[in-house]
Amino acid sequence: MRRIYKIVVTFAESLPFRIHLIKMIVAEWYAIWRKRKIYQKVVWTGEQQKEFDEFWIKNYGRKIPNKWHRLYESMNGTFDIRYFPEIFFTTKFEPMLNPYNKGVLLQDKSLVELLFNGESNDITFPETYVLCCSGIFYDGRRTVISRSVAADLLLNIGAAVIKITIGSSSGKDVKMVNFGIGKIETREQILQLFNSFGTNFIVQERIKQHPAISNIYSQSINTFRVMTYILDGVVLHAPVSMRIGAGGRNVDNIHSGGIAIGVSDDGILEKYAYRLGYGDTSEKYDKHPDSGILFDQYRISFVPKIIKSSHELHGRLPHIGIVSWDFAVNDMDKIVLIEVNLLGQSSWFPQIICGRSFFGENTEKVLNKISKVK
């Protein structure tokens, strides 16, 4: 009876992860099926297919579909047998490195400053005005306050950002607001705003970004995505990308109309930026469609420091093997940590916009590890 009890309890505890995994498997197969007209335009030669099959049989133990590789190539024109298929990333690599129950807790956006503050003099955070966690309100010092006091704190503070802290993605639950101007001038209007954001959200300052970044596009906070991972006891990182707003929008997310461009470790932008959406388009630009700034060789000097900081900060997340960091740079030359993402991360867009594989020369090591995971 005790054995049966342990089996039932263990299964029940693993159920949220199992549901998450099934959801990701279904989502990835549906996504690649929906994009079949895009990747089918890429036809490999017999030699390319042979090279691809031999590589994956040698390093993973069996052949795999080439749909994801052809999808990436259809957008950037670069053939690379080391591209890492998104379905392997979301259903094998991330689950292997990030325990689901730990990731759910640690990626709560209300914890970012608490987890990483004081780690580096190079890093700062947007000032928090009000925080709501499970319906409980706090001020910027994490003192418990009432809902009405929280509303009073926001009266006339001006420009701010309000966003969901749990379960949000792709900029869908981020709103730029001006307290004291227009539609949000009274306590009652602020309380209505609270209602629309539910029970888990944060209200923070809208930072002023560095001129070198604002020159490209000024209406959104443009961020750098650095993805770090631990392999054989060393923190490494994937190709770096920069996400930039466009079209008058005030968010930079690629699923919300933004564009993305690869960035070298020295801070040099690639020649083209891509409007990817959900991977359904391969529109690319050699200059920003609004500002006209040319991307090729445009340099942002803060990138090496951003990469260094991401490696240092990774150690502050116990149990976590891969992290997607979102950084901005403010007008005081400070690197600003905006968000940390641990579950539902993506490997497809940095590979497309940078034209190289996510793990580069470490691809064989990664494949060897995931091939052994049951």
Side-chain angles (χ1 to χ4, degrees):
M1 180 61 88
R2 178 176 295 180
R3 183 170 175 272
I4 294 174
Y5 169 77
K6 288 184 177 179
I7 291 173
V8 172
V9 170
T10 300
F11 178 80
E13 290 175 342
S14 68
L15 199 55
F17 166 68
R18 292 173 185 270
I19 294 172
H20 171 75
L21 189 59
I22 292 171
K23 180 180 71 173
M24 297 307 298
I25 292 172
V26 171
E28 295 301 349
W29 277 110
Y30 173 71
I32 198 66
W33 173 82
R34 190 164 55 86
K35 298 164 189 170
R36 63 193 182 281
K37 291 184 179 180
I38 302 174
Y39 69 75
Q40 286 173 353
K41 295 176 182 177
V42 174
V43 180
W44 284 357
T45 66
E47 280 299 312
Q48 286 177 315
Q49 185 65 51
K50 180 182 177 182
E51 181 185 1
F52 174 79
D53 288 339
E54 289 178 349
F55 175 83
W56 284 85
I57 291 172
K58 177 182 178 181
N59 295 289
Y60 185 61
R62 61 178 183 269
K63 292 183 179 181
I64 69 164
N66 63 19
K67 297 177 176 65
W68 284 271
H69 288 69
R70 288 160 60 204
L71 176 67
Y72 306 158
E73 184 181 347
S74 72
M75 296 186 178
N76 61 26
T78 303
F79 171 80
D80 190 339
I81 59 175
R82 286 184 171 83
Y83 284 140
F84 205 76
E86 184 71 1
I87 194 168
F88 277 25
F89 184 86
T90 58
T91 67
K92 295 179 180 293
F93 187 72
E94 183 187 272
M96 181 179 74
L97 267 63
N98 292 1
Y100 180 76
N101 59 340
K102 307 294 194 304
V104 168
L105 172 63
L106 292 173
Q107 74 170 4
D108 184 333
K109 295 177 178 61
S110 69
L111 296 177
V112 171
E113 187 172 358
L114 297 181
L115 287 170
F116 303 108
N117 193 19
E119 176 64 18
S120 170
N121 291 329
D122 293 328
I123 297 293
T124 187
F125 308 86
E127 180 183 353
T128 295
Y129 300 131
V130 165
L131 174 65
C132 181
C133 296
S134 298
I136 300 173
F137 283 83
Y138 307 81
D139 64 16
R141 298 173 61 87
R142 296 304 199 274
T143 301
V144 176
I145 57 176
S146 69
R147 185 183 185 87
S148 60
V149 168
D152 289 341
L153 288 176
L154 297 177
L155 285 171
N156 301 313
I157 64 168
V161 177
I162 181 169
K163 60 185 178 182
I164 298 293
T165 55
I166 296 177
S168 63
S169 65
S170 304
K172 295 177 182 177
D173 301 304
V174 179
K175 186 174 184 178
M176 306 298 175
V177 294
N178 276 287
F179 293 101
I181 301 175
K183 297 180 180 180
I184 310 178
E185 296 180 336
T186 67
R187 177 195 287 182
E188 288 70 27
Q189 290 167 336
I190 294 174
L191 292 174
Q192 288 176 6
L193 180 67
F194 288 169
N195 290 337
S196 69
F197 272 80
T199 58
N200 294 286
F201 60 86
I202 191 168
V203 184
Q204 296 177 308
E205 71 166 320
R206 181 173 184 181
I207 67 169
K208 295 179 180 179
Q209 64 187 345
H210 195 274
I213 301 171
S214 185
N215 285 344
I216 301 175
Y217 184 74
S218 62
Q219 292 178 252
S220 68
I221 302 302
N222 307 310
T223 58
F224 296 88
R225 167 63 60 89
V226 183
M227 300 181 71
T228 56
Y229 60 95
I230 298 174
L231 185 65
D232 296 335
V234 179
V235 179
L236 304 167
H237 66 275
V240 179
S241 57
M242 181 182 182
R243 297 176 304 179
I244 310 168
R249 299 175 183 87
N250 54 25
V251 293
D252 66 345
N253 303 79
I254 60 174
H255 298 326
S256 302
I259 58 178
I261 190 167
V263 187
S264 75
D265 287 2
D266 294 328
I268 306 298
L269 300 189
E270 298 283 353
K271 185 174 182 179
Y272 295 107
Y274 291 79
R275 190 187 301 279
L276 296 171
Y278 284 92
D280 297 321
T281 175
S282 58
E283 291 180 41
K284 62 182 182 180
Y285 306 86
D286 62 355
K287 58 186 177 182
H288 194 279
D290 296 284
S291 69
I293 293 290
L294 286 171
F295 295 125
D296 193 22
Q297 296 300 306
Y298 192 99
R299 184 171 185 270
I300 299 174
S301 62
F302 301 96
V303 172
K305 189 181 291 186
I306 288 173
I307 294 172
K308 178 175 180 289
S309 297
S310 69
H311 284 234
E312 294 172 347
L313 294 175
H314 196 135
R316 295 291 289 269
L317 285 169
H319 310 289
I320 300 299
I322 183 163
V323 184
S324 292
W325 308 89
D326 289 340
F327 294 98
V329 183
N330 69 18
D331 60 346
M332 302 299 290
D333 294 358
K334 282 281 190 177
I335 299 167
V336 184
L337 178 56
I338 304 294
E339 286 187 12
V340 177
N341 300 281
L342 308 179
L343 297 176
Q345 302 174 69
S346 297
S347 66
W348 62 274
F349 80 85
Q351 295 185 101
I352 289 172
I353 64 177
C354 294
R356 58 186 187 275
S357 66
F358 189 90
F359 297 106
E361 62 184 17
N362 296 306
T363 304
E364 288 89 337
K365 286 184 180 180
V366 172
L367 290 177
N368 183 260
K369 287 182 180 295
I370 68 172
S371 68
K372 297 175 181 177
V373 177
K374 302 298 183 183

